[in-house]
């Protein structure tokens, strides 16, 4: 399979230089490689996106896709996985989507170990609505909604996901395509919930290219033990999504195998093979 087989005819409207281009290409390459290796059936792949610049992934990737609402990627992704656990389910969300409106869904998917991969386009700003601050914007960010600078410290989604019980937690940078592709491959191949926080510069409203390019380093290149949760937490705290950090770790912070939500709930049953329930009877009894 060629990566161009997975492209649609839709005209790309991202700003030239946007980090979204690398995420789309890395995902497309990861899908194509896994398909070539027989580890992924493209017809069994479902992607979901929220609302925001990132959401155009559903327009640009020629695979089964579902455009959801703002902050609501995880809920339908969980539904898809429970309806048919044989599907490979990949959610794309923005930082406002995943860490703002949809945060509770993300935390509970991590806690439950739902077998979905979440790729977060973390540009740390609401780009589509022209530059408001998000949960990961740096303190002092002078966005449209905070013209005098955001008074809040950013949240650290890596720490949060580790604390929530996620079984695969990673960070990547859209400026390192090969590394990003490897991490996305790892997230898709992981059995259980995986989250990749992708540092994605928004060249129009918060251009962080230079800041990241000077600071990122690969955890796996420095011998990080991804099986050690305490060590993962220490590495997560090396950078709190503000300024000032000397170095920013990227790569897989933590990975562990645990039973998945769908295994525990379904216990081998296949919902799509079960007879359709009589909805009329249920409504008559309860409404
Ligand atoms: Fe990318 Fe920002 Fe432009 Fe949106 S507004 S397409 S995130 S550069």
């Amino acid at each position: 399979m060629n990566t161009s087989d997975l492209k649609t005819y839709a005209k790309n409207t991202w700003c030239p230089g946007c980090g979204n281009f690398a995420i789309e290409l890395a995902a497309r390459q990861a899908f194509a490689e896994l398909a070539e290796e027989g580890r992924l059936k493209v017809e069994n792949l479902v992607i979901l996106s929220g609302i925001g610049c990132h959401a155009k992934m559903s327009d640009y990737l020629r695979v089964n896709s579902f455009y959801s609402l703002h902050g609501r990627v995880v809920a339908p992704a969980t539904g898809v996985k429970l309806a048919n656990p044989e599907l490979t389910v990949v959610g794309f969300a923005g930082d406002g989507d995943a860490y703002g409106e949809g945060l509770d869904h993300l935390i509970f998917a991590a806690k439950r170990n739902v077998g979905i991969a979440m790729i977060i386009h973390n540009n740390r700003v609401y780009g589509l609505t022209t530059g408001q601050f998000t949960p990961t914007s740096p303190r002092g960010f002078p966005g449209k909604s905070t013209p005098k600078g955001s008074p809040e410290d950013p949240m650290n989604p890596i720490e949060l996901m580790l604390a929530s019980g996620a079984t695969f937690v990673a960070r990547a940078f859209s400026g390192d395509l090969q590394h990003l592709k490897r991490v996305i491959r790892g997230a898709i191949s992981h059995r259980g919930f995986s989250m990749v926080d992708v540092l994605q510069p928004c060249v129009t409203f918060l251009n962080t290219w230079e800041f990241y390019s000077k600071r990122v380093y690969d955890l796996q290149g420095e011998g990080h033990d991804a099986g050690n949760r305490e060590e993962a937490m220490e590495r997560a705290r090396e950078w709190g999504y503000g300024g000032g950090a000397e170095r920013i770790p990227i790569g897989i912070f933590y990975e562990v195998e645990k039973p998945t939500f769908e295994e525990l709930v379904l216990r081998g049953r296949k919902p799509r093979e079960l007879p359709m329930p009589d909805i009329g009877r249920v409504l008559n009894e309860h409404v």
Side-chain angles (χ1 to χ4, degrees), residues 76-117:
T78 301
V80 171
K81 190 67 183 178
L82 283 175
N84 186 353
E86 287 166 19
L87 298 177
T88 300
V89 182
V90 181
F92 294 93
D95 46 312
D97 245 352
Y99 306 145
E101 282 85 344
L103 183 61
D104 47 352
H105 295 278
L106 192 71
I107 289 172
F108 275 88
K111 173 181 177 288
R112 291 169 177 150
N113 198 28
V114 182
I116 60 176

Side-chain angles (χ1 to χ4, degrees), residues 204-227:
T204 304
F205 296 108
L206 182 54
N207 193 345
T208 43
W209 273 110
E210 203 182 328
F211 179 80
Y212 294 144
S213 299
K214 286 182 177 162
R215 289 169 175 79
V216 294
Y217 76 91
D218 182 16
L219 284 168
Q220 274 60 51
E222 295 202 0
H224 170 63
D225 175 8

